[in-house]
Amino acid sequence: MVAMSKRVKTLQIVFTDPGKTFFCGGDMVSGRIQVEVNEVTRVSAMRLLGLGRAKVEYAKGKQRCRQEAEYLRHEEVLRLDEQPTDSDGSVVLRPGNKYEYMFGFELPRDGQLVSSYKGKFGYVHYYVKALMERPHLPTLECKKSFEVEEPLDVNTPDLLSPTGGMKEKKVTCMFIPDGQVSLNAKIDRRGFCEGEDIFINAKFENTCSRIVVPKAAIIAKHTYQANGRTKIFRQKLSSVRGNHIISGMCDAWQGKTIRVPKIKPSMLGCNIIRVEYALMIYIHIPGSEKLILELPLVIGTAGLVSRSNSVSSQEGSVSNASQSWLSLRMPSEPPSYCDITRDCCLDQPLTPLLDDIDDDDSPIFMNAPAFQYPPPPAYVEVTEEEYNGNARMLPVC
């Protein structure tokens, strides 16, 4: 950021490594403050501040809720190298010269920082500020932001253990019992990183008279606290869906995948802002509330997933692919129309809000959806003479 006045031509902060995308606890934040003046200027002091704070602000009715928390505060007075100073410590800057004040400080360790964040009702912001103090003149200042991303390791026993649950819901129609729907789901771990696939094993049962649709979505939950009040903002990040389930039928997911999109890691150490994630597995029931099962997730920083986990995931993918390949063997007998399976698994587009409208997903009345059936298998015709002679079945074309 550059500050300019009649006397000062340039005042800006330049980091030593401008290509560095983020810092973490224990890293050095270093750089220089560049100064150029248009006329002779006396500088009494050049102060540097390294600041990091979280802030929450939102309206609750007529009340304005606001709260801040500080996570970084560094302050020092900088000196010019090989530049003569007066008895009071001030220096004289002259036009035509470029002056540089060097600085560097270490960020706190041991989890004292929280990651940078910008949300709907709050933020966590880190920046360096330079204050140029001049006798009998206003203080000039400039600042430059930098990102902090605290490492979050998902390779802990707690986050590598499986998690799951089950839910059921009784359905009524005009206060008359109409059966129930149930789901039982499980995932192999709770900790993931951006770009990884979550494998879902689940079973769905529908004994009501309506057509229901099983779905899954990754949900972000942003919690803001200010003045003793709490505000929660929920967001759907990505989703998948399964086949329609008619009355009296069941369906199962065996390793159905949903990919973790490009998102910020979980933020669990801030006093006033909290970012959590969950895998929401639910059944859409027309004319009734959804049956929802939420499994908590922890999203870690990229690159921390162990090689063993990635290898096991790859091995699982290879084994699944092998099983899928084996399932493509030619049948011993020609297939019939009754053997044709219907697959209407569609991926939903990303939606910004959780409260999506699923009007067309599951009609209350059982209208069979339209499917594109493949053509019947072709067979080579055998003439009567060939049949009466050396009769043999020709291969399927």
Side-chain angles (χ1 to χ4, degrees), residues 8-48:
V8 179
K9 179 181 179 181
T10 302
L11 175 62
Q12 65 179 358
I13 298 172
V14 178
F15 289 134
T16 301
D17 185 4
K20 191 176 179 65
T21 56
F22 63 86
F23 297 82
C24 59
D27 286 350
M28 287 291 298
V29 180
S30 61
R32 58 191 181 274
I33 302 171
Q34 296 179 340
V35 183
E36 293 182 74
V37 296
N38 293 318
E39 55 185 76
V40 176
T41 303
R42 180 175 293 276
V43 178
S44 58
M46 181 70 75
R47 292 194 300 120
L48 178 83

Side-chain angles (χ1 to χ4, degrees), residues 131-290:
L131 301 172
M132 182 177 175
E133 299 177 352
R134 303 171 295 169
H136 314 296
L137 290 173
T139 299
L140 293 179
E141 66 178 53
C142 68
K143 66 179 182 179
K144 191 174 184 67
S145 301
F146 62 93
E147 296 286 321
V148 169
E149 186 176 281
E150 280 294 273
L152 180 56
D153 190 356
V154 296
N155 295 326
T156 62
D158 179 51
L159 299 181
L160 292 177
S161 59
T163 183
M166 62 179 302
K167 282 285 187 72
E168 61 181 24
K169 175 183 175 65
K170 294 183 179 180
V171 182
T172 60
C173 180
M174 300 297 292
F175 305 104
I176 300 175
D178 187 27
Q180 69 176 22
V181 294
S182 64
L183 68 89
N184 190 336
K186 180 181 179 181
I187 56 178
D188 59 351
R189 53 192 169 103
R190 295 196 302 120
F192 294 89
C193 290
E194 169 191 320
E196 288 192 299
D197 288 332
I198 303 176
F199 295 91
I200 309 171
N201 294 314
K203 183 178 180 180
F204 309 93
E205 184 176 355
N206 177 26
T207 61
C208 72
S209 62
R210 313 172 195 186
I211 301 177
V212 302
V213 181
K215 301 182 181 182
I218 297 177
I219 303 298
K221 178 183 176 184
H222 304 253
T223 304
Y224 305 90
Q225 295 181 346
N227 303 122
R229 294 176 176 267
T230 301
K231 194 174 188 67
I232 298 176
F233 176 71
R234 290 168 64 90
Q235 188 178 20
K236 178 190 289 187
L237 303 175
S238 60
S239 61
V240 294
R241 59 181 292 174
N243 299 327
H244 291 72
I245 306 175
I246 63 175
S247 177
M249 299 298 291
C250 300
D251 194 13
W253 290 354
Q254 295 182 351
K256 190 174 185 67
T257 60
I258 180 171
R259 178 157 295 180
V260 179
K262 186 175 181 180
I263 54 179
K264 285 280 190 179
S266 301
M267 189 166 70
L268 309 175
C270 184
N271 298 331
I272 58 177
I273 301 175
R274 192 175 179 90
V275 180
E276 301 168 287
Y277 298 95
L279 175 65
M280 187 175 74
I281 305 169
Y282 61 104
I283 300 179
H284 176 83
I285 310 170
S288 180
E289 294 183 354
K290 299 179 180 70

Side-chain angles (χ1 to χ4, degrees), residues 89-101:
S90 62
V91 297
V92 176
L93 307 184
R94 303 184 183 279
N97 296 328
K98 292 183 178 181
Y99 302 92
E100 291 187 343
Y101 292 82

Side-chain angles (χ1 to χ4, degrees), residues 26-81:
D27 286 350
M28 287 291 298
V29 180
S30 61
R32 58 191 181 274
I33 302 171
Q34 296 179 340
V35 183
E36 293 182 74
V37 296
N38 293 318
E39 55 185 76
V40 176
T41 303
R42 180 175 293 276
V43 178
S44 58
M46 181 70 75
R47 292 194 300 120
L48 178 83
L49 296 176
L51 301 173
R53 57 168 57 100
K55 181 179 179 180
V56 171
E57 185 173 6
Y58 59 88
K60 193 80 169 180
K62 295 183 178 180
Q63 182 181 1
R64 195 74 181 176
C65 298
R66 179 176 179 177
Q67 191 163 336
E68 295 186 10
E70 188 172 81
Y71 291 96
L72 171 66
R73 187 170 189 87
H74 171 82
E75 185 173 356
E76 64 176 311
V77 178
L78 305 179
R79 304 293 181 185
L80 281 175
D81 296 334

